[in-house]
């Protein structure tokens, strides 16, 4: 550990050298810089480096390594687990949000702090889209490199399957590129275990033509949930891969059930496909060429969530799911989400460490509350939902939908058969396990 005087000189030099801003305890703006969306997370990093570019990331990593500080990386999104660490250096990428579209190549370069809304806004004028994530506030890098699922992946495949290249700052503060030809083993590992090997300063992604996109969102009384889920299940089973969405149980009050249908096509076609759901008695209805997403609850509330991937959705599973939804603590901004998989997800590349491709559904309980005294009932409800549907679980998990649930769940999210290969890549690029505050792979 460096002496106090050495640390003071190093911090002064970092403040001088960084094009972005540096915050330490006691600085004006420090508390704002360390705040995260999830109010259950309250951590005090030693230094927060809000980097303006990749050169700043190099400077920040060198600073941390020189003082033997742990390093945490904060991307552009909300991050359920908070992505901050007490006493560590935080590499904060939120200033790095540039998105550059190459419409001729149907590709886009996205900086490490960009969110899905940044990406969508840049692509929309060209009639292009990325598979991305369900929530507009989610960080692109975290979602993609974590093998996350999104609103268009039944038709286009997972966003990580569209990864063309990654620009990375390693634990040795070196800038490297990874693609199919350059550092190919690292490139493989970044397809699912991306936070383990360095700071992703930019991604290059293939994008897709999407001239039309439409949505429908009818809302139903809570007691209609079983009929809604079964009807939604049949629409997904019999409909085209262009059809996606989610069933949403919203805690309220008032508690309601919603059926979000997304369609890579026009409103007329969506209405025809959605007719069985729209025929069920419902309270309100939104339908049109809109970009309805699954928003993250507002900042300042406490949150906890998890997920289970299912190999089917028989009536018994529907009954359990709806019963657990009715037990959701209230008042709350939480929700229970049922997401369809299948389609192009299942036919995507099998070589990558993304093991949930064969699952047909994901159940994602997310509790969100204000009162710290309500922590236990809300977190218990999340656990109860997952336990209830576990008889139909594949045993795999989408890591971007869970927080820190231990090494067994990390293996479930990366695939047990990939463990040794990932550990060897980790040893090659981060032998000291500098990047450990995520879904961690340990070096061997």
């Amino acid at each position: 550990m460096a002496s106090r005087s050495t640390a003071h000189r190093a911090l002064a030099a970092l403040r001088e050298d960084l094009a972005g801003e540096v915050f330490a305890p006691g600085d004006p703006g420090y508390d704002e810089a360390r705040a995260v969306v999830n109010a259950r997370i309250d951590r005090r990093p030693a230094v927060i480096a809000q980097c303006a570019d990749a050169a700043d990331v190099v400077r920040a990593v060198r600073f941390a390594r020189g003082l033997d500080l742990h390093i945490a990386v904060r991307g552009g999104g909300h991050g359920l687990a908070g992505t901050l660490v007490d006493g560590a250096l935080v590499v904060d990428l939120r200033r790095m949000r540039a998105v550059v579209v190459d419409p001729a190549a149907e590709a886009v370069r996205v900086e490490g702090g960009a969110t899905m809304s940044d990406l969508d806004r840049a692509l929309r004028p060209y009639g292009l889209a990325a598979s991305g994530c369900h929530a507009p506030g989610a960080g692109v890098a975290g979602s993609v490199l974590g093998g996350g699922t999104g609103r268009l992946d039944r038709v286009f495949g997972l966003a990580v399957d569209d990864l063309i290249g990654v620009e990375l700052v390693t634990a040795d503060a070196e800038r490297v590129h990874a693609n199919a030809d350059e550092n190919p083993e690292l490139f493989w590992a970044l397809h699912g275990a991306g936070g383990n090997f360095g700071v992703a300063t930019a991604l290059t992604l293939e994008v897709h033509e999407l001239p039309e996109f439409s949505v429908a969102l009818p809302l139903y009384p809570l007691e209609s949930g079983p009929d809604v889920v079964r009807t939604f299940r049949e629409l997904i089973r019999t409909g085209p891969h262009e059809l996606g969405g989610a069933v949403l149980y919203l805690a309220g009050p008032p508690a309601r059930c919603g059926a979000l249908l997304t369609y890579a096509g026009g409103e007329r076609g969506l209405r025809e496909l959605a007719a069985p759901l729209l025929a069920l008695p419902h309270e309100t209805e939104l339908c049109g060429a809109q970009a309805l997403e699954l928003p993250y609850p507002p900042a300042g509330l406490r949150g906890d969530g998890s997920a289970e991937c299912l190999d089917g959705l028989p009536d018994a599973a529907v009954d359990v799911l709806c019963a657990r939804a009715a037990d959701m603590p209230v008042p709350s901004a939480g929700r229970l989400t049922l997401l369809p998989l299948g389609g192009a997800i299942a036919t995507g590349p099998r070589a990558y460490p993304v093991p949930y491709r064969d699952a047909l559904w994901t159940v994602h309980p997310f509790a969100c509350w204000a009162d710290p005294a309500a922590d236990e009932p809300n977190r218990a409800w999340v656990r109860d939902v997952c336990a209830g549907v576990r008889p139909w679980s594949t045993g795999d998990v989408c890591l971007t939908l869970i927080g820190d649930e231990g090494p067994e769940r990390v293996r479930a999210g990366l695939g047990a058969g990939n463990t040794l290969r990932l550990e060897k890549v980790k040893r090659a690029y981060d032998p000291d396990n500098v990047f450990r505050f995520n879904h961690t792979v340990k070096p061997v």
Side-chain angles (χ1 to χ4, degrees), residues 14 18-23 48-61 72-74 89-97 111-113 169 199 201:
L14 182 67
L18 216 70
E21 288 194 71
V22 176
F23 296 93
I48 300 170
Q50 292 189 341
C51 299
D53 52 29
D56 270 2
V57 175
V58 170
R59 296 181 186 107
V61 172
V73 181
R74 183 173 190 176
L89 168 92
V90 174
V91 177
D92 187 338
L93 302 177
R94 288 177 295 167
R95 291 171 176 246
M96 298 172 57
R97 298 177 58 174
E111 286 193 330
V169 175
V199 184
T201 56

Side-chain angles (χ1 to χ4, degrees), residues 190-202:
L190 289 168
H191 287 73
N196 276 279
F197 312 103
V199 184
T201 56

Side-chain angles (χ1 to χ4, degrees), residues 268-349:
R268 181 176 178 180
L270 175 60
R271 284 191 172 274
E272 292 175 357
L273 290 167
L277 272 172
L278 297 176
L280 296 176
H282 51 280
E283 299 172 347
T284 58
E285 172 189 324
L286 297 172
C287 193
Q290 308 169 61
L292 279 178
E293 308 287 354
L294 304 183
Y296 199 84
L301 297 177
R302 305 168 75 81
D304 188 47
S306 189
E308 290 289 338
C309 292
L310 310 185
D311 58 10
L313 195 65
D315 286 344
V318 173
D319 292 341
V320 170
L321 182 74
C322 294
R324 293 294 187 273
D327 293 336
M328 192 184 309
V330 291
S332 168
R335 61 178 179 239
L336 175 55
T337 307
L338 175 68
L339 299 163
L341 303 177
I345 300 171
T347 58

Side-chain angles (χ1 to χ4, degrees), residues 32-84:
E32 181 180 355
R34 73 182 183 90
V36 296
V37 172
N38 187 352
R40 199 164 57 85
I41 307 299
D42 182 16
R43 295 176 182 149
R44 299 186 64 82
V47 180
I48 300 170
Q50 292 189 341
C51 299
D53 52 29
D56 270 2
V57 175
V58 170
R59 296 181 186 107
V61 172
R62 284 178 179 162
F63 165 84
R65 297 307 306 271
L67 295 181
D68 198 26
L69 290 175
H70 293 317
I71 299 176
V73 181
R74 183 173 190 176
H78 31 66
L80 177 62
T83 62
L84 271 67

Side-chain angles (χ1 to χ4, degrees), residues 216-234:
L217 179 60
L219 294 173
Y220 307 84
L222 188 66
E223 58 268 21
S224 299
D227 289 338
V228 173
V229 173
R230 290 184 174 96
T231 304
F232 185 88
R233 176 187 64 187
E234 292 308 302

